Amino acid sequence: MPSFIHPAPTFDICLSNGITDLRVQLHRITVPPPDIASEPTPATTVAFDTQQELLWVGNEYGRITSFYGSELRRYTSFWAHPSQPRGDGEVKQLLFHDRGVVSVAATSVHLSSRRGLTQWHNATKAMRDLSCMSYMGKGNAFFVVAGCQNVMLKIDIERGRIVEEIPTEHEYTMMKYSHYICAATITGSVDILDPDTFRIIKTLETPNSRICDMDARNNYLVTCGWVTRQQGTPMLASLANVYDLRSMVQLPPIPFAAGAAHVQMHPRMSTTCIIASHHGQLQVVDLMNSNTVNLRQANISNGFMSGLVLAPSGEAFALSDTSGFIHLWGSPTKVAFAEISNPIEFADPQETYPVIAVDDDVPLSTIGMPYYREQLLSAWTSTQLYEVGNPPAKIDPLILSDLRPSDIGSCARNPKKVRRNQAIKTRLVEVEDPSLAAPKFLSEKARESENNQSPERRISDIQEAMINAALNGSTKADVPIMYRNVEIKYTEIIGLIGLARYYNKTQFSGLETHIANSYSNSLLQLLKFTPLVRNVALHHTATTCLYDTCLLCEMGFLFDMMEKAEGQSCQATNFLKTFSSIPEASNMGLLEENSHHTPLTAMLQAACRFLLEHSALNYRKVSPNTPEFNQTLAIEAPLSMRCVQCHNETIREGRTYINDLVYPPINAVTRTRNQIPTFSQVLKISIERATQTRGWCDKCRRYQQLATRKSVRSVPDVLMINAAVSTAESKQYWAKPGWMPSEIGVIIENGKCFCFEGEDLRLHVERGMHNVKVYELVGIVADINSGEHQKSHLVSLINTSISDRCSGLRDNWHLFNDFLVRKVSKTDALHFAPSWKMPAILAFQVVNGRHAVDDSWKDALDPTLLYIEYSINNRPPQDCQLLNPATEAPVAGSYVAIDTEFVALQQEEIEIKADGDREIVRPTRLGLARVSVLRGSGVDEGLPFINDYITITEPIVDYLTKWSGVHEGDLNTLRSSHNLVPLKVAYKKLWLLLNLGCIFIGHGLPKDFRTINIHVPKAQVLDTVDLFYIRARQRKLSLRFLAWYLLKEDIQQETHDSIEDARTALRLWRKFEEFRDAGVVDAMVEEVYREGKKWGYKPPGEAIGTAMIGRREKTRSTEASLGVPGFDGGRETPEILRGGSGPGTPVGKPRGVEQRVGAVTGEWESPAK
């Protein structure tokens, strides 16, 4: 639409030393009409964006439009609320959030991104006549909407769902938030609501019959409205009412003879208010001195002023009138809308290319190639190509061992291994890797032993090498090899199977490194072995939390998996995927892809702070009234800021989850006496950290030096500390042996923090005069600099005895170097060397928290998710019937059949060496696409109760349709005909079944569980791969072949279906039960292998001879005519069973999990499904 720019009349508003200087009308523009043929419509609401340089306008047709900058250029425009058929689409109010813009109409609430994309839209029956909304606090996680109806609605801004319906005594027309929710009623009063309980704290009675406008800021509330004349006609009141929200009393009103129609509090000046009339008269007044009045007149030529809004920066304001115009006022030299503005994302400009006709008359050389600016390699001349010199030949060890000094250098006897003047192609000589060699399979060792009579390499040899081997080519020869960066070279066969057996002989699980951002492995290990942190995470995970970005839930999932793994190698795949998807993590430079030159120590310390703060936010969303998280991890320390000039002091609530150590300077005297401050003294300085910063002083009304200090109220049960070793002076503290104690004591009195260690701590505990909180060291994360040829990496050293469920050893220290786990002594763990080992993060826990491993969360599991339909695209699950909680609640020992499908998110990365060998740098990364879980027993055995497709936001490189049955579009929320759920919802359903004690039946489940990132104990797995397996054959049978031979069914004809595969695995298990009851399991499995060898272990195709088909059909008809019991639905028993156990075999009852075979050895092969 065209913009109507008028001459700018003069309008001066100068407030308090020029802080706000609004002099001229910068721009005037019409509100876009609903269609081309309509007239401009008046704005029903106008608001400045709090985060970007945008002005937002809503109209009566439900359309929202944004304008950019002081020139009010159109940015976005979208239809948020339907105006037909009832005409209730008028936009009443706008709120701003990180995710976008929230708007409310009479019967709906809408959230769109600032680019206009719909995030969610809620229009339920409870929304009858809404008119206003407000946030409930600074967290902005929830907001409340109300209107001329008897109920308020609390809405989750992430999901757009109604969390709570709150009955109200009054009907509300507008809301403002300032410590409390101020809600104007239709009778002219204002209710002050508690933002947590929505209880009416006080009702402020105003002389108005109806509130026209109000604003609340900085503990003040200003209202204006209508009064009734003696004749009964309404008129605007000539007074603006002022209230103090701290004492809940009315202050002297502000006279305004023109009739107060609009009021706005200044965002920067706590007591300054602007009052406006319908005719454009404005009055700037100080609430504390209403005698100081500054009157001005705005040029409203047509109609009346319908709205007034001030920008959050205080440097601009906008007026709207009934003629459909928006007026922007401000200083022409300095205008900004948001106080701290984020960059605005604009559409990419469309590139235009010249049109060139390609025909026989146009030479191709005129078209050009615009994709390079330098000369192509193919155009290089022969003079520019040459071979670089070969590396020097490696000197034979025999020569080095026989060297003798001579007049010039040294000499040795010629070993005569090469001819005279023979040149060696050193470029083709493969340099041996000094790192630890990858393990071999038993089958590989067996083949080597046949060809080589030398003794077989043993695991003990590897362990001995890890202790005694030197660092070849490194300048840090004192670094033990177990501290070095451990890397695995993948092959197509080995993958990562069996890593724990070679690199970890303990009961504690390590974490693998082939996942992006796995630098956080050491931090996750430290948190997992801190019992109180582990308890908080698992108790939170057991709740109904379904937030996609909840890192606390992901930690709980990971900790539970590591405990169940009992020493097997694990992956933090889901945690790191969630961590990488959070925009704040990327903006803070916490992702490896965005921080190529940032030290890992600095990244991990920032990641730890972000993880704890983000987890606290997630915890408050689900359990807002439970202080357990803050009691465990938060230091409550209000921050006092005092102006150095006027000594005005302001106190702000403060909460810290991790502290950075601040090291006092070491002067020459203390250095010579070897008397540096103790660890407890440094910790006290760090907790009470006093600094001087430059900030705004409300009393001086200018930026001044502010002295800040903390007044400590309480300390948590777990102290997380950033070592912050970044200077040579700070390294001197840690170079002193025994500087860090294993126990510290903290006393909090009168806002002061006192820290003790060693003998002082013992004396304070014995005297008992003060409440001493004693902490013990749980573990540390250390930065290891292995040498010139090894990159720096992080390890964790943890006292695992603290997290034992029963009292045992006092100290049991272990090194966690990703998937390498090794027991170490306490002396080695707490020894630091500036040259190669420095601490990054420390964790202390109260001594009475030792062995406090709480598993009561298993009894508090909320299985509601298993009984409800959950879909983000509003499509019910297909071919699925939910469980009945009254009759089908999962309990320990319940049988369920499961199958999953995956898609490829990233292809494997391969390096090809000069000799042609292929080396897998990073394996293929798969993503869960579909989960199907069936009932394993009961009347509805084989009926699915979970059939979820998982939405994937990452790019999919291959749908693997032939093996997964997933087609393009099946995982798209806009195009899919299946019910889609987030990954967390699908994962939590399986996690609930696992911890409720269900037994999973399937085919080839270990690989599925590994890709899902869940660990199921062997006692809860019935895998048909292992049931029908002969270890000596070193071949596992596919599901398709077993179904063809044992069930006489042909499955997976064109593609795979997870329901079909899970049901087939269930029926194979039932068939195995029949064989076991008849005592013919071994004979039957031998028969399957003999038949499989005949057909190549694959079911025959269309080319089967007619004689064979006829024989099988005759067998089927004969068995059917004999009336053999148990033969229905294709579950015939082969000839060998009938010959050994009579005419029929009764179906066995479900028994406990009893696997026929033990651990898998020999060559590993993924069973084809």
Side-chain angles (χ1 to χ4, degrees):
M1 290 298 298
S3 302
F4 299 90
I5 303 176
H6 295 261
T10 303
F11 175 35
D12 297 323
I13 300 181
C14 301
L15 302 177
S16 184
N17 299 328
I19 298 302
T20 301
D21 188 6
L22 309 178
R23 295 190 174 182
V24 296
Q25 176 176 299
L26 299 177
H27 209 77
R28 187 172 80 163
I29 193 170
T30 57
V31 179
D35 52 63
I36 298 177
S38 302
E39 295 293 330
T41 59
T44 57
T45 182
V46 181
F48 283 99
D49 202 314
T50 58
Q51 300 184 15
Q52 294 185 350
E53 297 296 303
L54 296 175
L55 175 66
W56 295 85
V57 177
N59 65 11
E60 59 184 324
Y61 296 98
R63 181 167 289 277
I64 298 176
T65 307
S66 63
F67 302 90
Y68 168 65
S70 60
E71 297 180 358
L72 297 183
R73 290 181 290 170
R74 287 277 292 274
Y75 180 62
T76 52
S77 181
F78 52 89
W79 190 38
H81 302 277
S83 59
Q84 299 295 334
R86 296 180 294 175
D88 50 7
E90 176 183 337
V91 183
K92 303 294 185 69
Q93 188 182 345
L94 299 172
L95 282 181
F96 301 100
H97 190 263
D98 294 340
R99 294 188 60 190
V101 182
V102 185
S103 59
V104 62
T107 60
S108 61
V109 181
H110 186 87
L111 173 65
S112 288
S113 66
R114 287 173 172 81
R115 297 174 58 190
L117 301 177
T118 299
Q119 305 299 307
W120 51 258
H121 183 87
N122 196 330
T124 62
K125 296 180 180 179
M127 301 177 182
R128 298 185 298 274
D129 191 3
L130 302 178
S131 59
C132 56
M133 56 183 171
S134 171
Y135 284 122
M136 300 167 52
K138 296 182 179 180
N140 296 349
F142 302 93
F143 67 98
V144 61
V145 293
C148 297
Q149 56 185 45
N150 58 359
V151 64
M152 291 191 301
L153 306 175
K154 180 181 176 182
I155 298 179
D156 180 1
I157 201 166
E158 291 288 336
R159 295 290 184 186
R161 296 184 176 179
I162 297 176
V163 178
E164 184 180 359
E165 295 187 5
I166 306 102
T168 61
E169 300 178 10
H170 305 102
E171 298 177 355
Y172 299 120
T173 58
M174 61 183 65
M175 284 183 168
K176 299 291 181 180
Y177 176 82
S178 177
H179 302 293
Y180 303 102
I181 298 177
C182 304
T185 67
I186 59 173
T187 60
S189 61
V190 179
D191 286 347
I192 307 301
L193 307 177
D194 188 317
D196 296 326
T197 63
F198 301 102
R199 179 177 57 87
I200 298 178
I201 299 175
K202 187 177 182 61
T203 299
L204 303 177
E205 299 294 341
T206 69
N208 303 324
S209 60
R210 191 178 181 92
I211 300 295
C212 181
D213 195 8
M214 72 175 185
D215 197 10
R217 197 184 297 268
N218 300 322
N219 297 316
Y220 294 103
L221 172 66
V222 183
T223 68
C224 63
W226 301 87
V227 294
T228 306
R229 299 178 181 177
Q230 295 181 354
Q231 298 83 359
T233 58
M235 65 174 290
L236 288 171
S238 58
L239 294 174
N241 307 295
V242 184
Y243 302 89
D244 190 334
L245 295 178
R246 291 169 293 188
S247 56
M248 300 294 178
V249 297
Q250 184 174 5
L251 301 179
I254 302 172
F256 189 63
H262 308 283
V263 293
Q264 283 284 294
M265 295 287 294
H266 197 280
R268 289 188 177 178
M269 303 176 187
S270 58
T271 60
T272 301
C273 176
I274 300 179
I275 308 173
S277 70
H278 273 328
H279 301 286
Q281 183 175 337
L282 291 95
Q283 174 176 311
V284 183
V285 62
D286 192 334
L287 300 180
M288 300 294 100
N289 185 12
S290 59
N291 296 326
T292 304
V293 177
N294 191 348
L295 288 174
R296 289 293 183 268
Q297 179 67 41
N299 182 18
I300 304 297
S301 57
N302 299 321
F304 299 95
M305 182 189 298
S306 61
L308 167 67
V309 60
L310 266 170
S313 64
E315 298 176 1
F317 70 89
L319 312 173
S320 61
D321 58 31
T322 56
S323 300
F325 287 95
I326 303 295
H327 309 255
L328 179 66
W329 292 80
S331 172
T333 58
K334 175 181 147 182
V335 59
F337 296 165
E339 190 170 5
I340 300 176
S341 181
N342 296 328
I344 296 179
E345 184 178 1
F346 292 98
D348 296 332
Q350 185 176 1
E351 297 184 9
T352 59
Y353 299 98
V355 178
I356 301 177
V358 181
D359 51 35
D360 296 339
D361 298 331
V362 178
L364 294 178
S365 59
T366 61
I367 298 177
M369 296 177 63
Y371 302 108
Y372 67 93
R373 296 184 179 179
E374 298 178 352
Q375 188 180 21
L376 296 178
L377 296 180
S378 59
W380 282 17
T381 62
S382 58
T383 57
Q384 294 177 283
L385 302 177
Y386 59 92
E387 292 186 1
V388 297
N390 289 338
K394 188 176 181 180
I395 301 177
D396 194 298
L398 295 177
I399 298 178
L400 295 176
S401 62
D402 195 32
L403 281 178
R404 299 186 302 273
S406 62
D407 296 338
I408 303 177
S410 301
C411 63
R413 186 179 304 169
N414 186 0
K416 299 183 179 179
K417 290 186 177 181
V418 295
R419 299 179 180 178
R420 185 183 298 273
N421 300 326
Q422 178 180 345
I424 301 176
K425 294 184 178 180
T426 56
R427 187 176 301 282
L428 300 180
V429 176
E430 184 176 1
V431 180
E432 295 184 359
D433 191 351
S435 61
L436 191 63
K440 296 184 178 182
F441 284 104
L442 297 178
S443 58
E444 292 178 324
K445 293 181 178 181
R447 285 193 294 267
E448 287 184 359
S449 61
E450 295 177 358
N451 301 326
N452 187 6
Q453 300 301 324
S454 61
E456 182 181 8
R457 183 180 61 167
R458 299 169 298 166
I459 303 300
S460 57
D461 297 337
I462 299 178
Q463 294 179 340
E464 183 179 355
M466 292 170 62
I467 301 174
N468 302 323
L471 287 173
N472 298 328
S474 174
T475 58
K476 308 290 193 302
D478 52 346
V479 183
I481 195 170
M482 61 184 175
Y483 282 90
R484 295 179 61 190
N485 191 7
V486 184
E487 296 181 354
I488 286 296
K489 290 179 169 49
Y490 301 88
T491 65
E492 293 182 351
I493 299 178
I494 184 173
L496 282 174
I497 304 301
L499 278 182
R501 200 162 80 188
Y502 292 94
Y503 295 97
N504 180 10
K505 303 292 286 185
T506 70
Q507 59 179 330
F508 309 114
S509 296
L511 293 173
E512 296 168 11
T513 58
H514 65 285
I515 312 165
N517 303 305
S518 59
Y519 72 90
S520 59
N521 286 350
S522 53
L523 174 62
L524 295 174
Q525 291 280 16
L526 181 60
L527 296 176
K528 187 260 178 186
F529 284 98
T530 306
L532 299 183
V533 177
R534 173 256 184 206
N535 295 343
V536 170
L538 283 170
H539 277 281
H540 175 81
T541 308
T543 63
T544 56
C545 177
L546 293 178
Y547 292 101
D548 290 345
T549 58
C550 181
L551 293 176
L552 193 57
C553 279
E554 296 299 337
M555 278 199 294
F557 293 142
L558 178 62
F559 295 166
D560 182 49
M561 176 176 63
M562 295 172 68
E563 290 180 359
K564 287 182 170 62
E566 297 181 344
Q568 297 183 38
S569 184
C570 296
Q571 306 175 84
T573 308
N574 290 351
F575 174 87
L576 295 177
K577 181 184 296 184
T578 303
F579 177 73
S580 304
S581 67
I582 301 176
E584 291 85 349
S586 177
N587 297 338
M588 294 173 62
L590 303 181
L591 306 184
E592 291 177 341
E593 59 188 19
N594 301 331
S595 305
H596 302 290
H597 304 291
T598 305
L600 284 181
T601 302
M603 286 180 61
L604 187 73
Q605 291 172 350
C608 182
R609 187 184 306 278
F610 171 77
L611 173 60
L612 296 179
E613 292 177 352
H614 195 274
S615 298
L617 177 62
N618 295 137
Y619 188 88
R620 287 196 298 268
K621 288 181 180 179
V622 179
S623 307
N625 301 320
T626 306
E628 183 181 359
F629 190 93
N630 290 338
Q631 291 175 357
T632 304
L633 284 160
I635 297 179
E636 301 289 346
L639 184 65
S640 173
M641 297 179 291
R642 183 174 56 85
C643 178
V644 177
Q645 299 295 328
C646 67
H647 304 290
N648 178 45
E649 188 173 15
T650 304
I651 298 177
R652 181 184 302 167
E653 291 296 325
R655 184 177 292 125
T656 307
Y657 295 99
I658 188 168
N659 280 279
D660 294 345
L661 290 184
V662 179
Y663 302 93
I666 302 177
N667 54 44
V669 177
T670 57
R671 186 184 293 109
T672 54
R673 295 178 181 176
N674 198 23
Q675 296 178 352
I676 63 175
T678 63
F679 178 86
S680 56
Q681 292 172 339
V682 173
L683 181 61
K684 170 183 169 59
I685 296 173
S686 305
I687 294 178
E688 296 181 340
R689 187 173 186 176
T691 59
Q692 275 201 0
T693 58
R694 188 168 179 83
W696 178 260
C697 177
D698 291 334
K699 188 174 181 180
C700 297
R701 295 301 181 103
R702 66 179 60 187
Y703 286 95
Q704 300 283 17
Q705 284 294 120
L706 302 179
T708 63
R709 62 179 179 84
K710 291 181 180 179
S711 177
V712 184
R713 289 180 184 170
S714 63
V715 289
D717 295 335
V718 176
L719 278 178
M720 299 296 298
I721 302 171
N722 277 340
V725 182
S726 57
T727 62
E729 193 170 57
S730 60
K731 290 183 179 180
Q732 296 181 23
Y733 283 85
W734 295 96
K736 182 179 179 181
W739 183 73
M740 184 181 68
S742 57
E743 283 191 353
I744 57 173
V746 178
I747 299 176
I748 304 298
E749 284 188 0
N750 301 323
K752 297 289 186 180
C753 174
F754 304 94
C755 301
F756 304 95
E757 64 179 81
E759 187 67 19
D760 292 340
L761 174 61
R762 187 185 64 81
L763 293 176
H764 275 86
V765 173
E766 289 180 354
R767 292 170 183 170
M769 299 176 60
H770 302 279
N771 184 17
V772 184
K773 206 165 189 176
V774 182
Y775 295 86
E776 61 180 337
L777 180 64
V778 177
I780 60 174
V781 176
D783 179 53
I784 305 299
N785 183 13
S786 300
E788 296 176 353
H789 305 293
Q790 292 285 324
K791 60 183 180 181
S792 175
H793 66 286
L794 300 166
V795 302
S796 50
L797 295 138
I798 302 171
N799 185 6
T800 57
S801 64
I802 295 176
S803 58
D804 287 343
R805 283 176 166 78
C806 57
S807 58
L809 298 175
R810 175 68 182 176
D811 294 311
N812 189 20
W813 286 85
H814 281 75
L815 165 70
F816 292 85
N817 186 0
D818 294 322
F819 50 81
L820 187 151
V821 183
R822 169 113 196 183
K823 186 174 182 179
V824 295
S825 66
K826 180 180 178 180
T827 304
D828 292 339
L830 303 184
H831 167 72
F832 301 99
S835 60
W836 66 277
K837 180 184 177 186
M838 278 287 106
I841 296 177
L842 318 174
F844 286 87
Q845 181 182 263
V846 290
V847 292
N848 56 12
R850 176 180 278 259
H851 313 305
V853 179
D854 183 12
D855 288 333
S856 62
W857 59 271
K858 295 182 180 179
D859 301 325
L861 284 174
D862 189 342
T864 308
L865 188 61
L866 298 173
Y867 310 132
I868 61 174
E869 289 186 2
Y870 191 104
S871 176
I872 62 176
N873 59 340
N874 297 323
R875 293 185 180 273
Q878 300 174 0
D879 305 325
C880 178
Q881 178 180 319
L882 295 176
L883 293 175
N884 186 344
T887 60
E888 298 180 300
V891 295
S894 298
Y895 291 97
V896 295
I898 182 175
D899 192 69
T900 56
E901 308 295 352
F902 305 94
V903 294
L905 304 179
Q906 182 180 357
Q907 300 289 6
E908 65 181 8
E909 299 179 15
I910 302 174
E911 284 186 358
I912 300 179
K913 297 182 178 181
D915 57 359
D917 289 344
R918 299 167 75 253
E919 182 178 292
I920 301 177
V921 179
R922 194 182 296 270
T924 302
R925 186 162 60 92
L926 301 177
L928 183 63
R930 185 184 179 187
V931 177
S932 298
V933 184
L934 286 61
R935 294 166 174 84
S937 59
V939 179
D940 296 326
E941 178 178 330
L943 181 63
F945 63 91
I946 296 176
N947 186 26
D948 292 336
Y949 285 75
I950 289 81
T951 179
I952 297 178
T953 57
E954 300 178 72
I956 299 175
V957 298
D958 192 348
Y959 283 89
L960 306 173
T961 304
K962 183 178 179 181
W963 297 275
S964 68
V966 180
H967 297 78
E968 184 176 359
D970 285 351
L971 309 182
N972 189 304
T973 54
L974 300 178
R975 299 164 51 192
S976 178
S977 60
H978 310 283
N979 69 300
L980 293 176
V981 301
L983 175 63
K984 181 177 179 178
V985 173
Y987 186 94
K988 192 160 189 176
K989 289 181 181 180
L990 300 180
W991 187 77
L992 288 171
L993 293 174
L994 168 64
N995 286 284
L996 289 172
C998 294
I999 299 173
F1000 294 88
I1001 303 169
H1003 191 85
L1005 292 180
K1007 187 176 182 181
D1008 288 358
F1009 289 150
R1010 176 181 173 82
T1011 309
I1012 296 172
N1013 200 211
I1014 193 171
H1015 184 89
V1016 182
K1018 291 183 179 180
Q1020 289 180 246
V1021 178
L1022 276 169
D1023 198 334
T1024 53
V1025 165
D1026 296 330
L1027 295 180
F1028 298 95
Y1029 174 62
I1030 299 177
R1031 187 181 306 176
R1033 299 295 182 92
Q1034 296 188 0
R1035 170 184 283 276
K1036 295 183 177 181
L1037 303 176
S1038 68
L1039 181 66
R1040 186 180 180 188
F1041 175 76
L1042 290 173
W1044 170 80
Y1045 187 74
L1046 295 177
L1047 304 178
K1048 303 300 184 292
E1049 289 187 359
D1050 293 324
I1051 65 172
Q1052 303 172 352
Q1053 291 298 307
E1054 296 181 357
T1055 182
H1056 287 228
D1057 181 83
S1058 55
I1059 293 180
E1060 179 187 49
D1061 292 351
R1063 185 178 290 121
T1064 303
L1066 176 62
R1067 296 180 62 192
L1068 285 172
W1069 171 63
R1070 290 297 187 187
K1071 181 66 68 175
F1072 181 83
E1073 292 286 305
E1074 295 178 21
F1075 297 155
R1076 186 173 60 181
D1077 291 341
V1080 294
V1081 170
D1082 294 335
M1084 191 63 239
V1085 176
E1086 286 285 353
E1087 172 67 18
V1088 173
Y1089 269 91
R1090 282 197 299 268
E1091 192 70 14
K1093 187 175 182 181
K1094 181 191 306 181
W1095 297 101
Y1097 298 99
K1098 295 180 180 179
E1102 297 293 335
I1104 300 179
T1106 55
M1108 180 63 186
I1109 297 178
R1111 184 181 66 82
R1112 292 183 57 187
E1113 293 297 333
K1114 181 179 179 180
T1115 304
R1116 294 184 184 181
S1117 61
T1118 302
E1119 292 170 345
S1121 63
L1122 290 174
V1124 178
F1127 294 100
D1128 58 335
R1131 295 183 60 178
E1132 296 93 347
T1133 304
E1135 188 72 26
I1136 183 173
L1137 178 58
R1138 292 190 285 124
S1141 58
T1145 303
V1147 179
K1149 297 181 180 180
R1151 301 186 180 181
V1153 179
E1154 181 181 348
Q1155 300 246 2
R1156 204 184 126 265
V1157 295
V1160 178
T1161 57
E1163 292 201 8
W1164 182 84
E1165 179 183 354
S1166 176
K1169 290 187 177 183

